[in-house]
Amino acid sequence: MTPSAKSEARQSVLRLLPAVDQLLQRVERDAALKEIPRPRIVHAVREVLAGERRRLLEGLKLTGAAAPPDLGALAGRVVVGLSRAGAFSLAPLINATGVILHTNLGRALLSTLALERLRRVASAYSNLEMNLKVKERGSRYAHVDGLLQRLTGAEASLVVNNNAAAVLLALESLAHGKEVVVSRGELIEIGGEFRIPDIMRRSGAILREVGTTNRTHLKDYADAIGPDTALILKVHTSNYRVLGFTAQVPREDLVALGHARGIPVMEDLGSGCFVDLRPYGFPYEPTVQEAVGAGLDLVSFSGDKLLGGPQAGIVVGKADLVERLRKNPLNRALRIDKLTLAGLEATLYAYEVGDALETIPTLRMLTEPLAAVRRRARRLLRRLSPSVVAALGATLVEGRAQVGGGSLPLVELPTVALAIGTGDRPAHMLDAALREGEPPVIGRIAEDRLLLDCRTVLNVDVPVLAQALTRLVSTAG
Ligand SMILES: *Cc1c(COP(=O)(O)O)cnc(C)c1O
C-alpha cells in the first residue's frame, strides 16, 4: 500500500468512531451517573473513545479492516466504569481481615459520641481558640488538656497531627544539634517510612546508639551520656519482639539515671493504652498512666491505635518540657485540627466516664467474647440461601485474628470466620470480586480459602455482606 492509501484507510476507519458529544449525549441521562460530576463523565468518554481508537487501528493493521463500534456498547462501558468507581474515592468498606487496627483500612473506628461531637463542632462556629470567660484568644489544646492530665496523671499535655509528628517535635524541641541516646534494640521501623533513625536525622538530633540488638544494659546508657546528651529515648518495639537471650532496661532505671545526670527521659509508647487489658486475656502492656507514674519526663502515643480515637499524636509529661514543644514553631506545622480535637475529646471523655470498653469500637472488638463473634458468624451463614452456601462452599472455621497497627504484635485473638472458595470459584477470584464490589469487602486468603473474619465485621454489615456473597453467585455463575 502506498503511504497515501495507508493514510486514507486510517482516516476512513477513524471516521467510524462516534464524536465525543455523541457518546456524551448518550450516557449523560443515565440515572446511574446522576451523582457523577460532568467533567468526570467527559473524561471517561474521552478515555473510552481513545481506547476504541487504538482498537480500530490495531484491527486495521492486523486484518486490513475494522468493524464499526457499537454506540450502545461504548456507552455501557462508560456507565459501568463510572458507576463502579462511584462519586467519591475515599469510601467505607467491610473489614473482614480480622485485623482490628488495620493501618491501610483506616485504623480505629470512632465511637458514636465522637462522631456526634465531630458533626456538631464541624457544622457550627466553635470556641476552638477563644476563652469565653475573658473573650480573649484561648488555646485549642485546652479542650483536652484537663482530660489528659486527669487520665494520665501527667502535669501537662500537647496534641499534634500523629505520633510520628509528636516524636519529631519532641526531638527537634529538646535535642536539635545534640545527642539522643537510644538502645540498638529499639531502632525500629514501623512501616509507612517511619524509622526512628530517619526521624532523628530530620529533627537535627544526633543518634547515639547503645547496646546490641538483643541486649542493652543500664551501663550502656550511662557510658554514652556526655556533655552533648540532650535526651534519653525509649521506644516501644511495637510491631516485633526480640525473643530469647534479651535484656532491656526498665523505664524506672532509665528515669533514675536520667534524673541523676540531669537528662530528660522520653518514651514513645506507640499505641498508648489507658486500660489494663490483662483481665481480657491479653499480655501485659504498660498503660500510659503507668509510664507517666514511672517518672518519665515525656510520653508520646497515637490517638488512633488502642486508644480508639481519631488520628492524633499525644504527648504528656512535665510542664516545662511540654511548653517547649508547644512553643516550637514546628508545632504550628504539625497542628491538630478542630475535627480531630472534637473526636479526641469525646474519646477521652469515654475513658473518664468509664464506658470506654462498651462505647469505643476498637476496645469492643478487642474484648468481645468468642461466643459473640461466633453468633455473628452464624447469623451471616444463616442469611445465605442453601444454594449460595453450596456454590461458595461456605463453612464456619475457627481461627486467629490480629490486633494490628503495631499494637500487641504477638497477640492472636480467637475468632470465627466464614470460609469460602471451591474448585469452580477459587478463593482468589472471590477475593477480587468482593474487593471490587460495592461496598468493597476485604478478607484474607489462607490455604486456598477466602476467610471472612467476623471479629472485625460490624453487626450492621452482616446483611450487607450476605448480599455481597449472594451477588457473587448470581453474577459469577
Ligand atoms: C505507630 C507508632 C508510631 C507512629 O504513630 P502514628 O500515630 O502512626 O504517626 C510511632 N512510634 C511507635 C512506637 C509506633 O508504634
Side-chain angles (χ1 to χ4, degrees), residues 107 162-164 188 190 194 235-236 238 268-271 302 304-305 312 405-406:
R107 288 196 187 156
N162 60 5
N163 188 27
I188 54 165
I190 302 290
F194 182 87
V235 184
H236 193 286
S238 299
D268 170 10
L269 268 183
S271 212
S302 290
D304 58 351
K305 291 185 180 173

